Amino acid sequence: MRLELRGITKRFGALVANDHIDLSIEPGEIHCILGENGAGKTTLMNMLYGLLSIDEGEIVIDGVVQHFTSPRDAMRAGIGMVHQHFMLVPVFTVAENVILGHEQTRFAGHLDMAAARVRVKEIAAQFGFHIDPDARIEDLPVGVQQRVEIIKALALDAQVLVFDEPTAVLTPQETDELMAIMRQLRDSGRAIVFITHKLREVREVADRITVVRLGKVVGSVSPGASDAEMASMMVGRAVELTVVKDPPKLGDAALVVEDVSLADRNHVPVLDHISFTVRRGEILAIAGVQGNGQTELVETLFGMKKDASGVATIDGRNLLGIGAREAIRAGVGFVPEDRQEDGLVGEFTIAENLMLNRSSGPPFVRHGSLQLRFRRKFADQKIREFDVRTPSATTRARQLSGGNQQKVVLARELSRDLRLLIAAQPTRGLDVGSIEFVHQRIIAARDEGVPVVMVSTELDEVTALADRIAVMYRGTIVGIVPPDTPRDVLGLMMAGAPVDGPRQAA
Amino acid sequence: MSTEHSGTDTGRAEREGREDTEGSRKDTEDTDVSGGAGTETAEGSAETVEAASETPDAAPPPPLEAHDLTAELPAAPEPRSARFVRELTNGSAAITVLAIFAALVIGAILIVVTDKSTLDALPYFFARPTDTFKAIGSAVGGGYAALFRGGIYDYSQSSFSGGIESLLHSLSFATPLIAAGIGIGIGFRAAVFNIGGQGQMLAGGAVAGWLAYALPIPAILHIPVAVIAALVGGAVAAGIAGVLKATTGAHEVIVTIMLNYIAFYLLGYLLTNVLKAPGSNNPISRPALQSAIFPGTTGGLNIGFAIVVALTIFASWLMNRSSLGFHFRAVGENPSAAKVAGISVKRVTVIVMIVSGAFVGFAGAYQVLGQTTTGFTNALDAGIGFNAITVALLGRNKPWGIFWAGILFGVFQSGGYTMQAAQGIDIDIVLVIQSVIVLFIAAPPLVRAIFRMPEPGHHRTRKAVHTAAVRTGAAA
Ligand SMILES: Nc1ncnc2c1ncn2[C@@H]1O[C@H](COP(=O)(O)OP(=O)(O)OP(=O)(O)O)[C@@H](O)[C@H]1O
Ligand SMILES: [Mg+2]
C-alpha cells in the first residue's frame, strides 16, 4: 500500500501548523520524521489518522483520494497509530482492548472473546513477543501497554503504522525491543512512520528521514548522516550536542537526605533508607530504570509525601511532609515527571500557567487581585527567553506541542529564586535544540550555586549533566559514582549490582 | 477507542462544546462585564487588550517586543467586524441564539398540537384548510405574543409604566435565580457540584425571614443584618458539605441532596412548633416587619435586583481577577497540577462551597424580603435551588452568562403565566420550551448539526489524547 500526502495544510487561526506538506510513505520502509517542537509533526499525523480535519491537500492511498472523518475511516483504510498517550481502557483486559470498537459478536451480541484471545496470541507470536490476553491493562508496564496498541492496529490489518514519540516513556531496553518490532513490521512489508527526538534511534532504524520545520518539509537526510547534520537541519542552526560545563564550584552541603524511607499503600517499601547530600553548585543525577523509586523520591523531597520517615533538609530547613506549598516557599523548584497531569493546567493560558505556583502573593497577586499587566509582561518575556513556540501568551497550554508545554513548566520553575531544583525528566519530549537550551539553564542554575537533583532515564543526559550519579534500584541507592563511570558499570548498577569500594563517590 | 470518539458521550459533548466556542469564550472570559461575545466594551485595562489578541484564530503572534501593550491591537489583520461575524457563526453567542430559536420552533409545534381550536379545525382540513392555518397562526402568534406581553412589555397597557411592569416582574423572578445560579456556577467552575441549592435557600431564607419579623431595628440596619445573616446561613449549610468532602471524601452531590431533605423537614418542624405565626393554622411564619422589606416594589423591581447586579459584578471579579478565583479554576481544571503548585485542594473545596452557599443564601433572602414578605414556609425556595443549576449551565458557569440566563428564565416564568391565563396554554408547555432551550444549549453539536454550521474541528485530538492519558495514568 502506497500512501501519499499531497499539499497538506492545517491552520489553527493565524498559525499555519502544516504548510503544504508533501510526503510519500512506501511499504517496507521506516520513515522517520524529524522536527523541532511545534514543527507540526503530530498535527500531520492526526490528520492522517482522521483525528483532525484537513484544511487543504489530500491523502492518497494507491492512487485513490481518501476522505477521513474519523480514526475509524483511517483504520479501515489500513492506517494504525500508536499514540504517545495510549488510548486504552485501563480496566479492560488486553483482548478486550484489542477488539474494542470492532467487536466480533456471535448471536445475540455475545462477544467472541475466545477468538479475540487467539488473535492476540497469534499476532504476538508472529512478532516474537509474549503477552497475556487476559491481563488487565493497568497492571501492565508501559512498554507492554504500547505493544497492546501495536497489536490493536495489527488486528485491524494496518499496513501503515504511525508511532508518535513512542520511546519517550520507555526504558532503554524496551526501546530496543520496540526497534526490533518495528524492523520486523517493516520486513513484513508494512510502512512505518516514526516520530522521535532521539537521533540515536533515528540512526538505528530509519530508511528515510524527512525533516519538517515551521510546518514545512525542509528536506530529507540520508540515514547515514551524522547527529550534527540531522540536528542542524532540524533546528536550522548548528546545535551543540555535547554539554559544555565548567568543573563544579562546590559550596556547603545544602540538601541533606538521611535514612529516608517510604512505603506504599500496601506497606511495600518504595524508598528504602535513602541517604545522600547535595552541595551548593552541584548536580546530582539520579539514574535508574523507571519505576525504581525515583518518582517517589522527588515527590518526597518536594514535601508531598506525608508519611515519609527519616530526615531531609534544605539549608537546615525540613522538607519531609511539609506539602508543596511550603516546599515552594522554601525555594524548591520542581519539574514534575508528568507535565500534563502535574505540571500544567491545560485549560489555562500560558500566562496563567506561568504564575500557577505563585498565585497567592506578589508579584502576581496584590491585595487578592491578579496583576494582569505584570503577568502579561512576564509571560511575554518568558516566552521569548525560553523560545516557547506559541501564537501568544494567552494560548491555552493544551494547545501547545508537547515540547513547548515542557518549556512552560521549565520557564516557571527556573524563574523563581531557588534554593534547590528538583527536575524529573526535564527534557522529555524536547527537541535537540531545546535540550541544549534546557541543559544550559540547569547548568547555569548550578553555577549560581543552586543544588540540583535531576532524575533521568536517559543515560546520555545523566552522564552529560551530572557532577555525581546516584543509581537507584528497587527503592535503594545502589551507589553514588562519578560521571565518568563507564556505561556498562552504570548498566550493571541499574540492574542492582552493588559497586566496589573505590568507585563510591559519596 | 470508540467511546472516545462517539458524539453521544455526554462528557465529550460537553468538552467539545467548550472547545468549539473557543474563540468567543476567551473574549467573554476576561471581559465578562460586557456581558457577551463580540460586544466587549473596551475597558482600557490590560486584560481587555489581552483578550482582543488572545483568540488564536484571530490574532497574529504578538510582536516580540510587547513593551507597549496597546500597540498590539491595530496589528490584528482581521477586521473586528469580520471577527464578530465569525464568532457569531461559530461562537457560543450564535449557539445560544440558535438554540433559543430552535426551542421556540419546537415550542410552536407543541402549542399547535395542544391547541384546542387547531385540533377542532383539523377534521375539516381538506374542506377548509385556511381554518386550520388560521388556528395555527393564532395559537402560535397569540401564545408568543402573550409570552412577550407577560414577560417583557405589555403593549395592551396604555401607559409605558404599566407596560414595562411585565419586565420588572420578570426581573423579580430572575433575581433569586441569578444569585443562586452564580453560586452554583462558581461551584461548577471548581468542579464542585452543589446540588443543595434548595437547602441553602431554606437556610438563608429562614434566617433572614426570622430576623425580618423578630428583630425590631431601623431599616438602615435591618436589611443589611437580615441579608448578611442569610448569606451566612447559606454558607454554613453548604460549608457542611464542603467540610465533609474535604475531611472524609464524602461526595458533595450526595451530601448536599441529603442536606436538602434535612433543611426541608427541619424547617417544617420549626414552622409548626416554634416559628409559626400566632393564630395561623398553617406552618407559616409571621410577616416581615416593614423595616426589613426591600425598598421598591415587592414582587417587582426593588433593591434586590440592584444587589444581584452588584453580586454579579463581584462574582465576575472573583472568578476572573482574584487570586481566590484563580485557585478555584485551577482546582476545577486540574486538581493534581493545582496541588503540585501548592494550592490546597481541600481548602479550596471548603471555600468554594462556602462562597457558593452564600450566593444561594441571598436567593433565599430575596424570596422572603423582596418576593413574598407575608411570612415564609418551607417551600420558600420555590424550586429555584434546582432551576439555578439549569441557569448556571445555560450561562456556561460565567457570572454574566448566568445573569442573562436568569433574566431569560424570569421572562419565561412571568410570560408563562400570561400565556396560560390569556391563551390557555398549559404552563407545562412553557416549561417544556424552557427545557428544550437548555437541551440545545447544553449540546452545541446538536445545534450545529441542525443548522449545518461548520465544525470548528481542531481541538479534538489533544483533549482526547489527554483524557486517555489521564485514564491510563501514562506519563507524559
Ligand atoms: N488544537 C490546537 N489549537 C491550536 N494550536 C494547535 C493545536 N494543536 C497544535 N497546535 C499548534 O500547532 C503547532 C504544531 O503542533 P504539533 O503538536 O503538531 O507539533 P509537534 O511537531 O508534534 O511538536 P512536538 O515535537 O513538541 O510534539 C504548535 O505550534 C501548536 O501550538
Ligand atoms: Mg508532537
Side-chain angles (χ1 to χ4, degrees), chain B residues 314-333:
Chain B
F314 170 73
S316 180
W317 172 83
L318 179 76
M319 292 314 286
N320 299 316
R321 304 288 180 89
S322 80
S323 164
L324 193 60
F326 186 87
H327 290 179
F328 288 0
R329 288 185 288 127
V331 168
E333 295 289 357

Side-chain angles (χ1 to χ4, degrees), chain A residues 36-43 46 84 164-165 195 197 339 400-403 429, chain B residues 462:
Chain A
E36 294 175 285
N37 295 128
K41 307 176 293 294
T42 300
T43 304
N46 284 338
Q84 185 178 336
D164 191 357
E165 297 191 40
I195 298 175
H197 289 296
R339 57 177 168 254
L400 295 178
S401 78
Chain B
R462 247 152 226 291

Side-chain angles (χ1 to χ4, degrees), chain B residues 154-214:
Chain B
D154 186 354
Y155 46 80
S156 65
Q157 297 282 326
S158 52
S159 69
F160 175 78
S161 63
I164 204 71
E165 192 87 342
S166 300
L167 182 64
L168 303 184
H169 221 64
S170 300
L171 294 183
S172 175
F173 282 126
T175 302
L177 275 172
I178 295 169
I182 289 176
I184 287 172
I186 288 175
F188 282 145
R189 288 289 287 280
V192 171
F193 297 89
N194 178 6
I195 312 297
Q198 182 192 13
Q200 290 145 29
M201 274 186 76
L202 291 179
V207 177
W210 174 64
L211 290 174
Y213 72 75

